Amino acid sequence: MRYSPLLYLAPFAAAITLDTSSVSSIESATSSVAQDMMSYYTGNQPGQVPGLLPGSLSCNPNVEGTYCWWEAGAMWGALINYWQYTNDTTYNNLTINALQFQRGPDNNYNPPNQSRSMGVDDQVFWAFSALDAVESNFPEAGGDNPSWLSLAQAVFNFQHDLWDPLTCGGGFRWQVFSFNAGYNLKNSISNGGNFQLSARLAYITGNSTYGDWANKVWDWMESSPLLQTDANTGTFYIWDNTDSNNNCTDVQNFVWSYNYGTMLSGAAYMYNFTNGSDLWLNRVETILNSTYSLFFPQEFGGNIMYELECEKSLNCDQDQKSFKAYLARWMAVTSVLVPSTAATIKPKLAASAAGAAGQCDGGSDGRTCGLQWTTATWDGTSGVGQQMAALSVMGSNLMTENMRPLTLRTGATSKSDPNAGVDAPSNPAATREPITTADKAGAGILTVLVICVMVGGSAWLVY
């Protein structure tokens, strides 16, 4: 079901047209796609909850028209990216209100009404949006509201004691709370998202504590079954999840585009944090090459993004329909953080954007976006995920070196608080003594930092 749009949609609007070589064409196309995406949002209406999409309180990704809490968080990040790409401020106030309203009583994106389905990855997608705000100098909420950077740091701190060395030698469980289904699983999006969060905090603040934690998470994933290289083909597999009940001796052999995007961007941030180390460059290239072979199949020309596990049969759930949004955004970021990758990334983003525009010709308005970018015939699907993916891949073609993610040394203005959330009642580490270190973040001022955690990416269904 489609809800009343935030902005009026003409009932016979023309299909989306896109010229990826024209800035004005991309801006026009993304404006239309963003407007249609926001037609699903009801949180600004009387009696509704700011920040949430329909179904966020129940979270069943197998039900059409319902969206889990994490996907709402991701959507606000997509709108921050849209603002950064186009300077269109239409959705800024809604975004600020949503990200602050959903921060929870302890300012760490752990609101009580989401506890029954709270995953490590759920939290981190909201933190990613806060970091998108930091890296682009998106307007702060002001007043007594916490800064964007402190919200992400509070998530990091909350997660520290969720690291589980008692099973599988480490790693994060998927779920925060033991009473939730899937608590036994250690999955790539939670651990990989946690890795990305730490890498980005290291990049932004210059603090080695975050970088050390990013290394720790990568090393554990590499020692687990989650990361494997096929000896015959050289394909680098980022598998979906492993089971702590079996001491992580088995693995679910599913590959998803957002897992590759999460690990790719985290490695790109670490490449910068380590001043261009060969180790991290090699990891970026390894992930990127397998991203190309798995999610840009030669069957469709080799340049159009494709969700391997579910797109062909159109059985992607509500979560999975949005996954290409994140890979697109993180490939674009990688292209400016690791400039040597731009030559191969940009043609794929351009072709994918053109393919996405070709799918945005459905529905009663004639411009609803579908999932299958490999065909210009609308596939009959619609929803926030499809709109967000189209918005992100089109907008990513506007990413330039001038949009390189900011740090506290290169112009980011969000206030750092390394101890954010440490004393919050919900923090599992609240009784732990802080471990202090020099935070060389912004202007060289020394502050106290708690050794913390890395949080994970997005929640989705258990196999």
Side-chain angles (χ1 to χ4, degrees), residues 320-343:
Q320 296 153 9
K321 291 170 185 173
S322 72
F323 286 177
K324 292 189 291 186
Y326 320 124
L327 177 57
R329 162 64 179 172
W330 291 330
M331 284 177 62
V333 170
T334 297
S335 73
V336 297
L337 289 175
V338 188
S340 61
T341 66

Side-chain angles (χ1 to χ4, degrees), residues 187-410:
N187 60 350
S188 285
I189 196 58
S190 293
N191 286 277
N194 185 288
F195 161 69
Q196 186 198 137
L197 176 64
S198 295
R200 291 173 75 170
L201 287 172
Y203 171 87
I204 290 167
T205 67
N207 193 303
S208 62
T209 302
Y210 296 119
D212 291 344
W213 194 273
N215 277 298
K216 178 176 181 174
V217 179
W218 177 283
D219 290 347
W220 178 82
M221 292 184 73
E222 194 171 52
S223 70
S224 80
L226 293 175
L227 305 185
Q228 297 179 0
T229 301
D230 187 303
N232 295 318
T233 65
T235 302
F236 183 71
Y237 286 107
I238 304 174
W239 299 122
D240 185 67
N241 69 75
T242 185
D243 193 337
S244 65
N245 288 344
N246 298 326
N247 200 33
C248 298
T249 56
D250 55 3
V251 71
Q252 289 291 328
N253 299 118
F254 296 95
V255 290
W256 300 101
S257 61
Y258 78 156
N259 280 328
Y260 281 76
T262 302
M263 298 297 288
L264 173 67
S265 58
Y269 281 101
M270 287 300 290
Y271 170 78
N272 280 262
F273 177 68
T274 58
N275 297 314
S277 75
D278 289 339
L279 173 66
W280 286 107
L281 178 61
N282 178 261
R283 288 171 173 173
V284 167
E285 293 173 341
T286 296
I287 298 168
L288 197 57
N289 288 336
S290 292
T291 298
Y292 293 162
S293 63
L294 291 169
F295 302 106
F296 295 84
Q298 290 300 320
E299 177 184 357
F300 305 113
N303 279 330
I304 300 179
M305 194 182 299
Y306 175 79
E307 195 62 55
L308 177 65
E309 299 286 359
C310 64
E311 184 173 319
K312 185 175 183 179
S313 57
L314 285 178
N315 66 347
C316 301
D317 69 21
Q318 294 294 86
D319 290 350
Q320 296 153 9
K321 291 170 185 173
S322 72
F323 286 177
K324 292 189 291 186
Y326 320 124
L327 177 57
R329 162 64 179 172
W330 291 330
M331 284 177 62
V333 170
T334 297
S335 73
V336 297
L337 289 175
V338 188
S340 61
T341 66
T344 57
I345 287 175
K346 288 184 176 181
K348 288 179 165 52
L349 292 178
S352 297
Q359 266 291 304
C360 294
D361 60 357
S364 60
D365 58 12
R367 68 183 198 189
T368 295
C369 299
L371 182 68
Q372 296 178 315
W373 300 345
T374 55
T375 173
T377 302
W378 181 52
D379 60 23
T381 70
S382 61
V384 173
Q386 292 94 317
Q387 295 297 141
M388 184 177 7
L391 174 66
S392 295
V393 75
M394 292 177 191
S396 68
N397 284 270
L398 294 175
M399 174 69 79
T400 65
E401 177 61 30
N402 291 335
M403 297 178 192
R404 180 184 177 91
L406 297 172
T407 74
L408 294 180
R409 299 168 303 286
T410 62

Side-chain angles (χ1 to χ4, degrees), residues 7 61 113 159 236 279 285 460:
L7 299 175
N113 63 2
Q159 299 260 333
F236 183 71
L279 173 66
E285 293 173 341
W460 68 283

Side-chain angles (χ1 to χ4, degrees), residues 4-257:
S4 299
L6 178 71
L7 299 175
Y8 179 71
L9 297 179
F12 301 106
I16 300 296
T17 59
L18 180 69
D19 175 1
T20 57
S21 67
S22 166
V23 170
S24 62
S25 176
I26 298 172
E27 289 178 344
S28 176
T30 53
S31 175
S32 296
V33 174
Q35 179 181 340
D36 292 354
M37 180 178 74
M38 291 303 288
S39 73
Y40 293 89
Y41 179 60
T42 59
N44 60 316
Q45 296 179 5
Q48 299 297 312
V49 181
L52 299 186
L53 287 164
S56 291
L57 293 176
S58 57
C59 183
N60 187 343
N62 293 305
V63 176
E64 288 290 322
T66 65
Y67 303 94
C68 293
W69 180 71
W70 78 267
E71 189 171 346
M75 185 184 76
W76 302 115
L79 288 172
I80 292 172
N81 302 156
Y82 169 70
W83 164 80
Q84 181 186 21
Y85 297 148
T86 67
N87 293 315
D88 182 354
T89 62
T90 299
Y91 309 104
N92 284 15
N93 288 339
L94 283 177
T95 300
I96 292 168
N97 187 40
L99 289 173
Q100 291 292 341
F101 193 91
Q102 289 295 320
R103 72 194 192 217
D106 298 325
N107 299 334
N108 57 10
Y109 290 119
N110 186 31
N113 63 2
Q114 295 297 328
S115 62
R116 66 177 179 175
S117 61
M118 178 61 71
V120 168
D121 48 354
D122 298 333
Q123 272 188 310
V124 84
F125 262 82
W126 287 83
F128 287 163
S129 294
L131 289 176
D132 290 337
V134 175
E135 293 169 352
S136 62
N137 273 344
F138 186 72
E140 295 279 352
D144 294 331
N145 293 293
S147 71
W148 301 128
L149 181 52
S150 70
L151 286 167
Q153 289 169 310
V155 172
F156 182 97
N157 290 338
F158 174 85
Q159 299 260 333
H160 182 273
D161 280 10
L162 297 181
W163 182 261
D164 174 33
L166 299 181
T167 61
C168 313
F172 290 100
R173 294 174 179 268
W174 174 28
Q175 293 294 304
V176 170
F177 302 108
S178 60
F179 53 76
N180 286 338
Y183 182 74
N184 57 304
L185 300 180
K186 297 189 176 184
N187 60 350
S188 285
I189 196 58
S190 293
N191 286 277
N194 185 288
F195 161 69
Q196 186 198 137
L197 176 64
S198 295
R200 291 173 75 170
L201 287 172
Y203 171 87
I204 290 167
T205 67
N207 193 303
S208 62
T209 302
Y210 296 119
D212 291 344
W213 194 273
N215 277 298
K216 178 176 181 174
V217 179
W218 177 283
D219 290 347
W220 178 82
M221 292 184 73
E222 194 171 52
S223 70
S224 80
L226 293 175
L227 305 185
Q228 297 179 0
T229 301
D230 187 303
N232 295 318
T233 65
T235 302
F236 183 71
Y237 286 107
I238 304 174
W239 299 122
D240 185 67
N241 69 75
T242 185
D243 193 337
S244 65
N245 288 344
N246 298 326
N247 200 33
C248 298
T249 56
D250 55 3
V251 71
Q252 289 291 328
N253 299 118
F254 296 95
V255 290
W256 300 101
S257 61

Side-chain angles (χ1 to χ4, degrees), residues 205 207 408 416 418 437-448:
T205 67
N207 193 303
L408 294 180
S416 178
T437 184
D439 184 353
K440 299 176 182 178
I445 299 173
L446 297 182
T447 58
V448 176

